[in-house]
Amino acid sequence: MPSLPQEGVIQAPSPLNLNTELPYQNTMKKKVRKKKKKEIITANVAGTKFEIVRLVIDEMGFMKTPDEDETSNLIWCDSAVQQEKIAELQNYQRINHFPGMGEICRKDFLARNMTKMIKSRPLDYTFVPRTWIFPSEYTQFQNYVKELKKKRKQKTFIVKPANGAMGHGISLIRNGDKLPSQDHLIVQEYIEKPFLMEGYKFDLRIYILVTSCDPLKIFLYHDGLVRMGTEKYIPPNESNLTQLYMHLTNYSVNKHNERFERDETEDKGSKRSIKWFTEFLQENQHDVAKFWSDISDLVVKTLIVAEPHVLHAYRMCRPGQPPGSESVCFEVLGFDILLDRKLKPWLLEINRAPSFGTDQKIDYDVKRGVLLNALKLLNIRTSDKRRNLAKQKAEAQRRLYGQNSIKRLLPGSSDWEQQRHQLERRKEELKERLAQVRKQISQEEHENRHMGNYRRIYPPEDKTLLEKYENLLAVAFQTFLSGRAASFQRELNNPLKKMKEEDILDLLEQCEIDDEKLMGKTTKHRGPKPLCSMPESTEIMKRQKYYSSDSSYDSSSSSSESEENEKEEYQNKKREEKQVTYNLKQSSHCKLIQQSNSMRRSVSCPRSISAHSPFSGDTRPFSAQQMIPVSRPTSASRSHSLNRASSYTRQLLHSNDSTSSNSQGIILAQ
């Protein structure tokens, strides 16, 4: 039996005697994961006096920056901004005004431009009252008055300052001889038979959102304000011409009348909602659908007149930006529209800085919806600034190392070199257009999910109507920028602008085939294939998913967690794809694919994926699938070409695979 250790005798430490009281200390340094900084969308609202704008900014979760901060994601100003300020903006920033929009927002500019467009397309622009600009058209106006006297007719005219606002300086006349010839005025025919409501004359304030001028995108808000006069309407005569509360519908004029009714309900008072007005029309058996269609047509045709000026000014402010790039400008416009007895809309004027005052509850309800839905449609993301910086670095590296640049064609080059050079330029043009189309599809998908009470009126879904508007747009460019916009004309006439993604992919495929012929390679018949220079489908889909998770009105904490999960999932996916690719190389059915030189076309098209599921392809037996025509897809089958390519390859692999594990690996590889 072992003896106990005696006192004072030092015992050697036993190798099994572990001190459980002391904690285990690891000498390895642990990596401390730093928390990602919380990114917040910033907004500079120093340029606005309206409190509703600040309230909506807070509701969106944006952080207001100091007045001198010019790096905010969003900049809001009540007045028009200088072109130099727009030129200094970074691509991730947004400002609420377009350069050149004054061409339709100033009364004299609107009249001048509309007169030119009426001369070119008189049947399409019948919604503008006959207008004269003084002093340049004083003689034409006097001649018109003389013709009326010969016919023993008398009309009323409304006189406005050329650059006035809020109803200041407006008067009615019936004798044109008394007008001064040298004053800067706008003279219009007065619409004497307006549509009345409860005996009062009124007009409509329609809110329009323009999110881009390149390409043009217009949204109409399906609500607004009905602004009524405060005295019962009587057709103008010599005794009541000075009664402006009867003939003018401006809120800034009628609010001073003691008969102005402030009511909190939307169906009473001197200011009501258009939502209530459409219900009123429906109850009285009027065609509401035609009413909104006529309003939309008026708005689109008016902005078509402005588009050449706006696009030209925007390109001057943002040189070097490729066509179709994300716009740094947007604009909320206020259209003032009068209805006559037949409910035909007439354009009175356009406000590029509509009032967002909220004197009444109806103002708050309508204008809050206008602003809130507009900011959601813009899709301002916290990652915009980060992505913009990364893109600038990538472009600088490409310029530095000459990547993706087409070599210049030397003088005296052979026909073969010239043909190769033309093919390379053609492929680059197609790839740029393809990227634009895919980006536009992604933007449209976001807009469709977040339009709220807005509706897209340009480009319209009706192809016949779209063709009509495009013809008007071409006329507008010829009318206003003839001789100054040759590049714009070439862009409008470029057939690629009307092509869908599958059509561009077909053209790219044909370029590859022609390139192989020039290089002397044996071209084999094959179905749709991918291009080596096209992006990986998995990367694009992952990138789109990653960006969509970073939305402006998602919470920052949930978005940061989703970003980490997305990155881990993406890395695991890449490892799985590498393993699956290795297994496929070892399998025998993969060799059959390499021998037939059958390559897949990129399936990164969001439209194709949403329209055609990868598992809804051809379900014919393998023997029947081998009879698929090998000729290039026709235009009738272009819409299914992407799905056909992926399903064809998958079925070819699946038919030779007997085990379920290999079948699963093939689907992952697709």
Side-chain angles (χ1 to χ4, degrees), residues 473-535:
L473 200 56
V475 172
F477 274 101
Q478 293 172 1
T479 302
F480 298 108
L481 296 178
S482 57
R484 290 193 295 151
S487 60
F488 292 167
Q489 295 294 334
R490 286 194 296 269
E491 285 181 24
L492 289 173
N493 297 328
N494 189 351
L496 290 179
K497 289 184 70 70
K498 298 183 180 180
M499 286 189 180
K500 297 182 179 179
E501 182 178 14
E502 51 267 23
D503 301 329
I504 300 174
L505 285 169
D506 286 341
L507 292 177
L508 276 168
E509 180 188 357
Q510 186 60 45
C511 287
E512 288 286 307
I513 295 173
D514 295 340
D515 195 16
E516 289 180 0
K517 289 180 180 179
L518 284 175
M519 296 297 293
K521 297 179 181 179
T522 56
T523 56
K524 296 183 180 181
H525 295 291
R526 57 180 181 264
K529 65 171 188 176
L531 297 169
C532 299
S533 57
M534 293 307 297

Side-chain angles (χ1 to χ4, degrees), residues 202-206 225-226 274 277 291 335-337 339:
F202 66 93
D203 71 353
L204 307 177
R205 165 58 61 87
I206 304 289
L225 297 174
V226 180
I274 292 182
F277 179 67
F291 163 76
F335 275 66
D336 292 344
I337 295 174
L339 302 177

Side-chain angles (χ1 to χ4, degrees), residues 94 98 101 207-221 296 299-300 303-304 306-307 310-311 323-327 329-333 335 374 377-379 381 433 435-448 451 454-460 466 469 473 497 607:
R94 300 289 182 273
F98 277 99
M101 195 64 78
Y207 292 99
I208 302 298
L209 172 65
V210 183
T211 59
S212 171
C213 67
D214 188 12
L216 181 61
K217 286 188 178 182
I218 309 171
F219 298 86
L220 182 147
Y221 192 72
S296 301
V299 170
V300 172
L303 285 169
I304 282 176
E307 172 65 2
V310 174
L311 182 57
S325 59
E326 203 160 4
S327 174
C329 299
F330 70 97
E331 193 136 19
V332 178
L333 299 170
F335 275 66
L377 259 176
L378 291 178
N379 193 23
R381 300 176 292 265
R433 181 56 189 164
Q436 293 174 15
V437 169
R438 286 175 173 170
K439 191 173 183 179
Q440 290 173 9
I441 292 172
S442 178
Q443 290 176 347
E444 287 177 6
E445 288 178 350
H446 170 84
E447 292 165 356
N448 293 335
M451 274 196 290
Y454 279 100
R455 294 293 178 269
R456 184 189 293 108
I457 58 176
Y458 190 89
L466 176 60
Y469 287 152
L473 200 56
K497 289 184 70 70
R607 180 177 292 172

Side-chain angles (χ1 to χ4, degrees), residues 86-131:
I86 297 175
E88 294 172 356
L89 293 177
Q90 297 294 323
N91 289 338
Y92 69 87
Q93 295 183 280
R94 300 289 182 273
I95 194 166
N96 67 317
H97 289 293
F98 277 99
M101 195 64 78
E103 292 290 334
I104 60 171
C105 294
R106 271 190 53 147
K107 295 181 179 65
D108 51 348
F109 291 176
L110 174 65
R112 181 188 62 195
N113 292 326
M114 281 295 183
T115 300
K116 291 181 180 179
M117 203 63 182
I118 289 171
K119 291 179 180 179
S120 301
R121 301 297 290 266
L123 298 179
D124 290 305
Y125 286 83
T126 60
F127 53 82
V128 182
R130 191 188 295 257
T131 309

Side-chain angles (χ1 to χ4, degrees), residues 200-422:
Y200 293 96
K201 182 182 176 182
F202 66 93
D203 71 353
L204 307 177
R205 165 58 61 87
I206 304 289
Y207 292 99
I208 302 298
L209 172 65
V210 183
T211 59
S212 171
C213 67
D214 188 12
L216 181 61
K217 286 188 178 182
I218 309 171
F219 298 86
L220 182 147
Y221 192 72
H222 267 233
D223 201 357
L225 297 174
V226 180
R227 305 177 304 181
M228 304 176 63
T230 49
E231 291 185 10
K232 295 281 187 178
Y233 179 78
I234 299 175
N237 53 53
E238 296 294 341
S239 61
N240 65 11
L241 288 180
T242 58
Q243 298 181 19
L244 298 183
Y245 297 139
M246 176 189 299
H247 299 292
L248 300 185
T249 54
N250 306 63
Y251 166 73
S252 56
V253 173
N254 284 279
K255 70 179 181 179
H256 298 294
N257 191 359
E258 59 183 9
R259 297 183 181 179
F260 185 86
E261 296 181 12
R262 298 180 183 271
D263 200 292
E264 296 299 323
T265 58
E266 63 178 8
D267 59 341
K268 294 180 181 179
S270 299
K271 188 185 290 187
R272 308 180 187 183
S273 70
I274 292 182
K275 179 182 177 183
W276 168 84
F277 179 67
T278 53
E279 295 173 356
F280 168 81
L281 292 178
Q282 197 167 9
E283 291 174 359
N284 288 273
Q285 308 301 320
H286 294 289
D287 192 345
V288 176
K290 184 178 184 304
F291 163 76
W292 280 115
S293 176
D294 292 343
I295 295 290
S296 301
D297 192 62
L298 179 151
V299 170
V300 172
K301 288 178 178 178
T302 302
L303 285 169
I304 282 176
V305 172
E307 172 65 2
H309 305 281
V310 174
L311 182 57
H312 182 65
Y314 184 80
R315 292 275 185 90
M316 295 293 288
C317 291
R318 312 289 297 174
Q321 294 291 327
S325 59
E326 203 160 4
S327 174
V328 299
C329 299
F330 70 97
E331 193 136 19
V332 178
L333 299 170
F335 275 66
D336 292 344
I337 295 174
L338 180 72
L339 302 177
D340 64 13
R341 288 185 183 177
K342 297 181 180 179
L343 277 182
K344 176 185 175 180
W346 293 84
L347 177 64
L348 299 181
E349 63 182 26
I350 304 164
N351 295 271
R352 68 181 313 177
S355 172
F356 286 105
T358 52
D359 296 342
Q360 299 175 234
K361 182 179 181 299
I362 189 172
D363 287 309
Y364 178 85
D365 294 338
V366 172
K367 295 173 183 180
R368 174 186 169 275
V370 169
L371 295 172
L372 191 63
N373 287 273
L375 293 181
K376 288 182 179 181
L377 259 176
L378 291 178
N379 193 23
I380 303 175
R381 300 176 292 265
T382 57
S383 62
D384 287 342
K385 188 173 183 178
R386 184 175 63 251
R387 288 189 292 118
N388 178 64
L389 182 61
K391 186 177 180 181
Q392 287 180 350
K393 290 182 178 179
E395 290 177 353
Q397 289 181 351
R398 280 198 296 268
R399 289 194 300 266
L400 180 62
Y401 296 107
Q403 296 175 350
N404 297 333
S405 59
I406 303 175
K407 295 182 179 179
R408 291 185 179 181
L409 191 63
L410 298 176
S413 301
S414 62
D415 294 340
W416 180 84
E417 291 175 335
Q418 292 178 5
Q419 292 177 10
R420 283 296 312 281
H421 185 264
Q422 291 177 358

